[in-house]
Amino acid sequence: MSEYLPLVVLFILSTLVAAIAVALGHLFGPRRPTERKLQPYESGMTPFGPGTRRMPVRFYLVAVLFILFDIEVVFFIPWAVVYRKLGLFGFVEMLLFAGILEIAFVYAWKKGALEWE
Amino acid sequence: MIYPLQVVFILVSAVTLGAALMVVTTRNMVRAALWLVLALFGVAILFVLLEAGFFAVAQVIIYIGAIAILMIFAVMLTRRIAQDPGPQLNSTWPIAAVIALLVFGLIVFLVQVWDRAASLPPPLPQGFAPLQELGVALVSADRYLIPFEIASVLLLAALIGAIVVAWERK
């Protein structure tokens, strides 16, 4: 369990640094609000339209593709740490696994799902 | 005698359950998704407490890094759902509460009478490497080889399905 100690320290330190940064700004920053300053920030322009706009469905597709390749990578990790021990058999197994997913990749590519206009 | 890890376990469990409760009670869907991230992170820490480091990493990478993001996109795709959650209870909630209480009571009862729950599981042998063990098991013909290869077919089906649903009808 002790090998997780650096992670815990990192987690606490990063939380502290973020909290201190926000707290100091909150404590010492001058606050003179005007109506303009209280507007939602929109890259420096005057905001227009509703704040919650519908996103294009394209983002959803990209997120789904990301999940699937993410899961593929997670399957790769335990295989990769014992790759040398597994020999040719393990290599062929992973080739089969990756090959099946490659069909999906080619399909997505040919459909143009990986392109952004 | 209270061990430090028990304190961590209780704290993390409480945060996880609290966040899970917020997921179903908060009215703003985007906030519910963010509470879900906290609950999933708590589960990742529980994996660490069970010495399942790889599962903790997979939990963070897949559930927080990908699935939570997908959910937030799904909420943002549907403006009406994000803004108008509607009533959170319907007329059947007392029945659901009774069933949930019954199931909870049953689980508590089963843990009481199940003899394997009374004794602690044996500790992992010294020098046991779960990740290596998993890597070997995934490609061993007598262990998880078939599920492993079928997983790729499942992912293939999911990917083609996603493209058909989200792409062709545009």
Side-chain angles (χ1 to χ4, degrees):
Chain A
M1 209 43 48
S2 59
E3 69 262 29
Y4 290 102
L5 198 63
L7 261 182
V8 175
V9 172
L10 182 69
F11 191 74
I12 293 172
L13 275 183
S14 51
T15 311
L16 270 182
V17 167
I20 290 171
V22 172
L24 284 183
H26 204 72
L27 273 178
F28 297 113
R31 239 160 305 165
R32 287 182 281 275
T34 64
E35 204 187 326
R36 292 213 125 187
K37 282 185 189 170
L38 289 176
Q39 282 178 346
Y41 181 72
E42 189 170 329
S43 309
M45 307 184 311
T46 310
F48 60 93
T52 52
R53 251 167 269 167
R54 287 180 68 179
M55 312 274 292
V57 74
R58 187 73 64 81
F59 285 103
Y60 187 77
L61 186 61
V62 171
V64 170
L65 294 180
F66 172 67
I67 285 189
L68 294 168
F69 291 116
D70 211 27
I71 295 171
E72 187 184 355
V73 168
V74 165
F75 272 111
F76 269 115
I77 296 169
W79 171 82
V81 290
V82 285
Y83 164 65
R84 286 185 194 283
K85 219 166 76 182
L86 295 174
L88 188 65
F89 185 67
F91 180 68
V92 172
E93 293 306 336
M94 189 44 90
L95 216 57
L96 190 62
F97 178 83
I100 293 173
L101 276 166
E102 209 62 18
I103 300 171
F105 182 58
V106 169
Y107 179 79
W109 194 348
K110 283 285 155 200
K111 277 278 169 194
L114 301 175
E115 279 162 44
W116 200 269
E117 304 289 86
Chain B
M1 177 71 195
I2 294 175
Y3 297 97
L5 279 184
Q6 280 179 320
V7 178
V8 175
F9 173 76
I10 291 169
L11 281 179
V12 170
S13 305
V15 169
T16 307
L17 286 177
L21 203 62
M22 288 302 292
V23 173
V24 290
T25 54
T26 187
R27 301 193 71 88
N28 185 317
M29 292 293 276
V30 177
R31 282 187 196 155
L34 293 178
W35 281 111
L36 184 67
V37 168
L38 184 62
L40 293 173
F41 191 72
V43 174
I45 296 176
L46 292 181
F47 277 136
V48 168
L49 291 175
L50 291 169
E51 307 226 9
F54 178 65
F55 285 134
V57 171
Q59 172 86 7
V60 171
I61 290 178
I62 294 181
Y63 278 90
I64 299 177
I67 290 180
I69 302 296
L70 186 73
M71 283 183 177
I72 291 172
F73 274 142
V75 171
M76 290 164 91
L77 283 171
T78 49
R79 176 172 40 182
R80 281 199 60 94
I81 290 179
Q83 285 180 345
D84 176 27
Q88 282 172 306
L89 294 174
N90 61 19
S91 57
T92 56
W93 75 266
I95 304 169
V98 167
I99 292 175
L101 270 178
L102 273 180
V103 171
F104 181 73
L106 205 62
I107 291 172
V108 170
F109 172 71
L110 280 178
V111 168
Q112 298 289 328
V113 297
W114 191 34
D115 53 349
R116 277 188 65 187
S119 59
L120 290 171
L124 293 175
Q126 201 68 39
F128 182 79
L131 190 53
Q132 278 88 329
E133 215 39 47
L134 181 64
V136 172
L138 274 185
V139 293
S140 303
D142 54 341
R143 293 178 75 184
Y144 303 116
L145 174 59
I146 302 293
F148 171 62
E149 296 297 345
I150 289 177
S152 72
V153 179
L154 180 71
L155 290 175
L156 171 68
L159 200 144
I160 292 177
I163 293 172
V164 169
V165 169
W167 185 258
E168 291 191 321
R169 251 187 271 155
K170 259 202 263 198

